[in-house]
Amino acid sequence: MISLTPLKMLVLLFSCVLSGALGGYYAASFSPVPAQIAIVDVQALVKKAVEKNQAQTEDDAKALMTKVKSSTEELIQRGVVILDAQSVLTAPEEAYVNIE
């Protein structure tokens, strides 16, 4: 049986901590970071609103923008950037915010 002196124990502990930290850093450097961007298709929302009611007014447009802002408020609080879909070339489907 091998007896560990306090110095050997500290060296062993330090090497374990160092190897764990280096392994975690190595793994994190190759892990993909999820996008912190959400996309709102304002044009599609306006088209859907106009199809329902042809007599859209400025107040209706303001109400629609208020609805968009309230729907995305939680995302904004988490630090997510909100883009208009017309400014995006491609994005995964889960990046689009569903506003009903």
Side-chain angles (χ1 to χ4, degrees):
M1 182 153 164
I2 301 174
S3 66
L4 294 176
T5 64
L7 181 61
K8 286 182 183 179
M9 182 67 86
L10 287 175
V11 170
L12 180 62
L13 181 62
F14 179 74
S15 65
C16 289
V17 169
L18 184 62
S19 64
L22 290 175
Y25 176 76
Y26 180 76
S29 66
F30 292 104
S31 298
V33 177
Q36 293 295 308
I37 295 174
I39 302 166
V40 176
D41 194 352
V42 176
Q43 186 177 14
L45 291 171
V46 171
K47 282 182 181 179
K48 188 176 7 173
V50 169
E51 288 173 357
K52 291 181 180 177
N53 182 4
Q54 293 295 327
Q56 290 293 308
T57 64
E58 185 177 339
D59 291 336
D60 294 332
K62 287 180 182 177
L64 179 62
M65 290 311 297
T66 302
K67 186 175 184 180
V68 168
K69 286 183 181 182
S70 66
S71 297
T72 57
E73 186 64 33
E74 180 185 335
L75 295 171
I76 293 169
Q77 294 299 323
R78 290 190 293 167
V80 175
V81 176
I82 309 294
L83 297 176
D84 180 31
Q86 303 307 311
S87 305
V88 176
L89 297 177
T90 60
E93 188 64 34
E94 57 270 5
Y96 286 86
V97 177
N98 187 16
I99 298 175
E100 294 297 325

